[in-house]
Amino acid sequence: MWYFSIISPVVFWQYMTLCQIVDEGGCKWPNIDSYIFYPSFTRRKRYGQLSADCDSKEALEAFAEETRAWLEENCPPAMREPVRSDDDMCWGGRKWEFESEDQKLWLERMVAKGWTVPTWPEEYGGAGLSKKQEKVLFKEMRKLKCRPALSSIGVVMLAPALMKYGTEAQKKEHLPKIARGEIRWSQGYSEPGAGSDLASLKTAAEDKGDHWLINGSKIWTTYGHKADWMFCLVRTDFNAPKREGISFVMFDMDQPGVTTKPIHLISGTSYFCQTFFDDVRAEKSQLVGEENKGWTVAKYLLQHERDTIAMAASGGGKKKKPIEQIAKETYGEEKGKIADSAVRNQLARFQIREAGFGLTLQRMGDEAKAGSPPGPASSIMKYYGSELNKDRRELMLNCNGMNSLGWEGDEFNNGEIARSWLKSKTNSIEGGTSEIQLNIIAKRVLGLPGVVS
Amino acid sequence: METNYSAEQQAFRDSLRRYLSDKCDQSFIRENWDEVVPHTEELWGNLVEMGVTALLVPEQSGGLGMGMVDMGVVMEELGRRVNPAPVLASCVGATSAAAIYHCNDLLATLADGSKIGTVAFEEADKTLLSWQQPGVSIKSGKLNGTKVRVLDAMAADVLFVTAADGVYLIAADADGVTIEATEIVDGSRRIADVVFEDAAAEKVGELADFAPVIDRLLVGLSADALGAAEMALFTSLEYAKEREQFGVPVGSFQAVQHMLAEMFQQVEMAKAGLHYALWALDDAEAEEGHRAAVLIKAFIAEEFPHVGAEAVQIFGGAGFTWEYDIHLFYKRLLSAELLLGGSDVWLEELARIAIDR
């Protein structure tokens, strides 16, 4: 009924970068230029964050030193160049073609250290680091401008669900491959007829004893054409109430009967697919959680997805020219002010909202560290974050004047402004539309009665 | 949601909230809506007892030596009950000025509540941003000119006044001081014009040092507004759950739900911004404190009137009757928007410090 789950890789990539930033004590913001006054939040005296007993200051300092030395030794210089586009990110998987030897080497070395998933237990391919050690690692990586070695829907989306609901055998089978970037995952949630009303999904799973046969179609499967495995919501009981007949299954996409078709988007790219299933086989051993209880797993996973999108909306990590500077170049300056006072005012107006968002995100981060799990409040962040990002892109369009119209060519940076603007339109749709988020706030946070249909 | 407050602050908040809702709820302000001085001695005495007047007074001057984070708790609670006590003017404005200018005798009397003070720094023909060039003149120790929108001047015993060459302290009943109340839409607050005609005053210090007083006032008023906005949201939310039309609560309609969800989101964003500003005024450099104060005042001026207006809308016909309380919160939000400079003023200042550079 609520969710419509799609996620754009650009947003995802921003998230990967951002995890590292936000995770560092919630005190550094990617968009430093407009947050010049936040960094000193680290100087919190009275309201300092909780600190764990285990990680002593000395131990962490030693770890930082070790880490820095290792990174300097092992991170190839090319992997310290800024990420120009999604193509520079390593997504891994069976079909993956490394952009360069360096990219391959970097992944291998990080995998060997268990640092693609630093806090996971070693048996699952992690390094068993503490949260604080992970923070140190990310901080050192950022100092040296190291790219993330692996971007992965498996790491961010599937793994938390597997850790919570998966069997030991499933964890042992899938987590190490996710950690090593060997298997690339896609998410099969939305269907052509089941968007916001996700629970009405109709992709059918027919019980064949030790396996199911799946027939139907999923849409908005991010990079479905490049993925190896899919985690998928299927209907295992057509007679039960709609949320009680859904199961969460995983299957290999490399089998007859799976067809993926990229969808051409308004920004000119194609990272979403429609995926068709014709008697596709899913083993019973690949059921996550109980049969017909898939909705619970799906919701858990979606909460992570919403946080992802909200966080990504708070900026993105690419170092860019500040928007104020762009506006000054487009409209000229008068005594140091942007000559167009309406644009200047718009920028100020945007800043207060951006600051409100950033500070709220930070506050939620602090709360999470203090032990409260992500709750329905993540819906506010998803809602506001995507609206804010759309506004940011709109403002960018204004500040660039006629240059915003460019679509191809170096002088227009290949239409980056227009394309980003168009891409931002996905933000308030993917991961649950803005309207759905408001419904969730109304119902789960404000306790209002269910919507009358 | 207030994980950033300590247990002591939370306990302080709880006792204030209990007192205000038991003894001083909205009916209190209704009774005193038209009074020249709308707070009572009993209310003031209770606030003194709870330590409100001594909060920002340094310990060596007989105060509690607390910070704006603590004062934020007070302001928010007063805002929640549209309380008319002159806390912003006296316990934030005058107390901060007295501390900055080392007026130690006055500080002791502000701390024990025996005196009420205020600060006068706005003038009719000037934007607030040029407060450092006041038109009030000084000649052989005598003030001439007019200050406007002076908070709680009618209740005040003493005033800090910005004048051409510095900041002056003067008794409200001194010769040459005339206080003319201005009636405003929000009867829970009082402001006045103060006219000085050859009024002898004592210089306490330089103009530039006065800046933190304004920042503290901005953040104090924002905290007050947050309290009022929370109540506007809460009150209309409860109403939406109770009021039935078409046989169901109006809160089950998606249009109404989305209004409330938006209001909730605006309140939450302000909370984080406010806490940051309170913290920054206590513990950060003055420059950062100033930016944070400007941000939150601009934010509440931009966003909160919407919270109030939507609350009135959710109340339907009841929303525009005097009988229902919702207009009290709306009016409190309107005055918080415009007093001490509206969003035009503070967006301009934000642009100056964060965009022009």
Side-chain angles (χ1 to χ4, degrees):
Chain A
M1 168 183 176
W2 296 329
Y3 307 107
F4 179 24
S5 178
I6 52 180
I7 182 165
S8 73
V10 177
V11 162
F12 186 82
W13 168 76
Q14 288 173 338
Y15 169 67
M16 293 298 289
T17 322
L18 228 117
C19 280
Q20 305 182 3
I21 294 160
V22 173
D23 215 45
E24 200 210 294
C27 53
K28 290 284 195 297
W29 292 90
N31 204 351
I32 293 299
D33 298 297
S34 55
Y35 284 103
I36 43 173
F37 30 96
Y38 293 159
S40 62
F41 222 177
T42 44
R43 283 186 277 119
R44 287 177 155 232
K45 289 177 199 159
R46 290 183 241 179
Y47 311 102
Q49 288 132 12
L50 300 173
S51 59
D53 309 314
C54 50
D55 305 296
S56 73
K57 199 167 163 247
E58 297 73 36
L60 286 175
E61 274 167 12
F63 178 71
E65 210 164 296
E66 242 168 67
T67 304
R68 198 176 318 132
W70 187 89
L71 289 171
E72 268 169 5
E73 175 86 34
N74 289 285
C75 184
M79 292 298 106
R80 300 191 208 174
E81 297 288 317
V83 172
R84 290 160 309 224
S85 73
D86 191 46
D87 299 335
D88 287 344
M89 302 300 292
C90 174
W91 292 82
R94 295 192 292 235
K95 305 185 187 92
W96 184 253
E97 283 170 25
F98 287 99
E99 185 190 56
S100 62
E101 264 309 300
D102 285 338
Q103 192 183 47
K104 182 160 180 266
L105 199 62
W106 179 223
L107 177 64
E108 285 169 358
R109 286 174 177 171
M110 286 291 275
V111 165
K113 289 289 271 188
W115 282 359
T116 52
V117 285
T119 57
W120 290 14
E122 285 176 32
E123 53 174 324
Y124 299 146
L129 298 191
S130 70
K131 278 273 169 202
K132 286 206 165 178
Q133 287 174 314
E134 183 186 54
K135 226 153 75 178
V136 169
L137 167 62
F138 287 160
K139 187 173 166 186
E140 293 303 325
M141 282 178 70
R142 213 176 57 252
K143 273 193 204 155
L144 293 177
K145 301 195 172 72
C146 307
R147 292 179 185 175
L150 178 67
S151 302
S152 163
I153 285 176
V155 171
V156 178
M157 315 252 308
L158 177 62
L162 269 189
M163 300 262 194
K164 190 169 165 77
Y165 295 101
T167 63
E168 194 49 44
Q170 288 169 345
K171 291 181 201 173
K172 285 216 172 86
E173 178 184 355
H174 294 297
L175 292 177
K177 290 181 193 165
I178 290 173
R180 295 196 295 262
E182 289 171 7
I183 294 295
R184 187 167 177 179
W185 285 83
S186 69
Q187 181 190 44
Y189 270 32
S190 302
E191 295 178 7
S196 289
D197 185 9
L198 178 61
S200 71
L201 59 94
K202 291 199 168 55
T203 291
E206 193 188 338
D207 196 326
K208 294 285 181 188
D210 63 341
H211 68 279
W212 286 285
L213 278 187
I214 297 172
N215 283 285
S217 172
K218 292 288 174 183
I219 197 165
W220 313 123
T221 39
T222 305
Y223 283 139
H225 56 314
K226 296 183 176 177
D228 306 309
W229 273 65
M230 174 180 275
F231 53 94
C232 187
L233 295 179
V234 292
R235 185 156 301 282
T236 35
D237 186 346
F238 276 86
N239 299 316
K242 62 180 180 180
R243 280 193 262 318
E244 289 159 35
I246 294 170
S247 297
F248 188 108
V249 298
M250 306 180 286
F251 54 81
D252 195 329
M253 294 175 78
D254 186 14
Q255 60 169 304
V258 177
T259 319
T260 53
K261 213 174 88 186
I263 300 167
H264 197 199
L265 304 180
I266 54 175
S267 53
T269 50
S270 306
Y271 45 83
F272 290 133
C273 291
Q274 183 166 2
T275 309
F276 301 89
F277 312 119
D278 182 13
D279 279 345
V280 167
R281 188 181 165 109
E283 303 301 329
K284 286 262 174 93
S285 60
Q286 302 295 351
L287 169 74
V288 181
E290 288 173 50
E291 188 172 341
N292 294 327
K293 297 273 173 64
W295 189 246
T296 313
V297 185
K299 275 198 298 187
Y300 180 77
L301 197 148
L302 276 166
Q303 209 139 54
H304 280 270
E305 183 182 17
R306 276 201 297 275
D307 290 343
T308 304
I309 296 168
M311 295 239 245
S314 74
K318 279 183 255 187
K319 181 74 187 154
K320 282 188 180 143
K321 200 185 280 183
I323 191 165
E324 296 82 7
Q325 189 54 39
I326 296 170
K328 281 178 189 170
E329 287 166 14
T330 306
Y331 295 101
E333 279 182 67
E334 274 168 23
K335 295 178 193 159
K337 295 180 181 181
I338 299 162
D340 188 313
S341 63
V343 170
R344 181 166 169 270
N345 188 272
Q346 276 179 357
L347 284 169
R349 219 171 271 265
F350 181 75
Q351 275 204 4
I352 60 169
R353 298 177 52 225
E354 191 180 44
F357 177 77
L359 289 163
T360 307
L361 201 59
Q362 182 166 323
R363 196 184 64 158
M364 285 175 55
D366 288 354
E367 281 172 10
K369 283 196 194 78
S372 350
S378 62
S379 285
I380 315 175
M381 303 318 283
K382 162 63 171 83
Y383 167 70
Y384 200 67
S386 35
E387 297 303 320
L388 196 65
N389 199 42
K390 287 199 294 184
D391 290 350
R392 176 189 290 116
R393 293 299 163 194
E394 194 85 34
L395 198 53
M396 199 62 132
L397 216 64
N398 289 351
C399 288
N400 278 281
M402 290 305 282
N403 275 341
S404 305
L405 281 176
W407 188 252
E408 295 283 354
D410 285 346
E411 75 270 37
F412 297 126
N413 194 17
N414 283 322
E416 204 264 337
I417 299 156
R419 287 172 194 262
S420 301
W421 170 67
L422 289 164
K423 270 181 198 160
S424 73
K425 303 299 170 196
T426 61
N427 294 160
S428 52
I429 305 291
E430 61 192 356
T433 62
S434 283
E435 289 69 29
I436 292 290
Q437 303 310 323
L438 292 175
N439 286 356
I440 296 174
I441 297 166
K443 199 170 161 186
R444 308 247 304 269
V445 183
L446 301 178
L448 287 162
V451 180
V452 176
S453 52
Chain B
M1 296 295 261
E2 285 131 10
T3 55
N4 283 324
Y5 290 97
S6 68
E8 293 80 13
Q9 285 163 338
Q10 197 55 48
F12 180 46
R13 178 191 294 279
D14 290 345
S15 65
L16 251 172
R17 184 172 294 186
R18 215 171 315 116
Y19 164 67
L20 291 171
S21 57
D22 289 353
K23 298 277 191 300
C24 232
D25 68 358
Q26 295 85 280
S27 61
F28 178 85
I29 186 55
R30 285 171 175 280
E31 282 162 30
N32 295 286
W33 193 262
D34 294 321
E35 300 293 329
V36 175
V37 175
H39 74 274
T40 59
E41 278 182 26
E42 188 196 348
L43 165 60
W44 191 245
N46 284 325
L47 291 176
V48 170
E49 209 158 284
M50 280 188 269
V52 169
T53 50
L55 217 58
L56 290 183
V57 176
E59 280 169 284
Q60 62 269 28
S61 305
L64 296 171
M66 314 277 263
M68 278 304 285
V69 174
D70 308 279
M71 187 47 95
V73 171
V74 176
M75 294 310 306
E76 213 181 307
E77 294 306 313
L78 293 174
R80 285 176 70 94
R81 292 295 175 190
V82 290
N83 193 281
V87 174
L88 184 63
S90 190
C91 312
V92 179
T95 299
S96 301
I100 287 169
Y101 298 115
H102 305 291
C103 308
N104 294 330
D105 295 343
L106 175 61
L107 270 176
T109 57
L110 289 171
D112 67 19
S114 57
K115 276 203 176 141
I116 290 174
T118 189
V119 285
F121 56 95
E122 286 195 69
E123 296 183 5
D125 53 351
K126 282 206 158 69
T127 154
L128 218 160
L129 296 180
S130 56
W131 65 268
Q132 293 212 50
Q133 294 94 43
V136 167
S137 66
I138 186 82
K139 207 173 170 190
S140 18
K142 289 186 173 169
L143 297 172
N144 275 289
T146 303
K147 293 289 180 186
V148 298
R149 294 185 290 276
V150 181
L151 299 168
D152 290 303
M154 287 86 72
D157 303 298
V158 290
L159 301 92
F160 286 91
V161 186
T162 54
D165 73 339
V167 174
Y168 287 75
L169 181 62
I170 190 167
D173 59 1
D175 287 342
V177 178
T178 315
I179 297 174
E180 294 162 2
T182 315
E183 280 197 43
I184 57 171
V185 60
D186 175 12
S188 72
R189 293 189 213 273
R190 292 292 179 273
I191 60 170
D193 293 352
V194 182
V195 183
F196 302 97
E197 288 165 305
D198 290 332
E202 171 202 356
K203 183 173 177 179
V204 291
E206 301 310 316
L207 273 172
D209 299 327
F210 191 76
V213 177
I214 298 179
D215 288 337
R216 281 181 159 198
L217 286 172
L218 292 177
V219 178
L221 183 60
S222 301
D224 177 295
L226 176 64
E230 281 180 315
M231 281 300 276
L233 168 63
F234 174 76
T235 314
S236 50
L237 179 62
E238 291 305 298
Y239 188 75
K241 288 176 183 174
E242 280 161 20
R243 167 77 176 167
E244 293 198 355
Q245 285 292 278
F246 305 101
V248 292
V250 295
S252 63
F253 301 130
Q254 200 175 29
V256 175
Q257 294 192 340
H258 286 192
M259 286 162 81
L260 285 160
E262 288 255 12
M263 292 157 71
F264 174 68
Q265 166 252 306
Q266 284 170 310
V267 167
E268 286 301 300
M269 299 286 151
K271 248 184 216 174
L274 176 73
H275 200 273
Y276 165 62
L278 292 165
W279 167 84
L281 289 181
D282 285 345
D283 287 338
E285 301 296 324
E287 197 186 338
E288 182 176 351
H290 178 57
R291 278 194 217 99
V294 168
L295 262 178
I296 189 61
K297 180 60 168 71
F299 189 93
I300 68 116
E302 279 275 299
E303 308 268 321
F304 277 2
H306 175 257
V307 174
E310 295 284 78
V312 168
Q313 176 71 16
I314 288 167
F315 267 80
F320 49 82
T321 65
W322 195 270
E323 183 192 342
Y324 281 77
D325 283 342
I326 196 67
H327 72 106
L328 302 178
F329 302 116
Y330 187 30
K331 288 169 180 172
R332 187 88 166 189
L333 290 173
L334 284 178
S335 63
E337 174 199 356
L338 294 168
L339 287 177
L340 304 176
S343 67
D344 53 337
V345 173
W346 297 114
L347 284 175
E348 171 60 31
E349 176 68 353
L350 184 64
R352 188 184 71 79
I353 57 185
I355 295 177
D356 299 345
R357 272 183 271 160

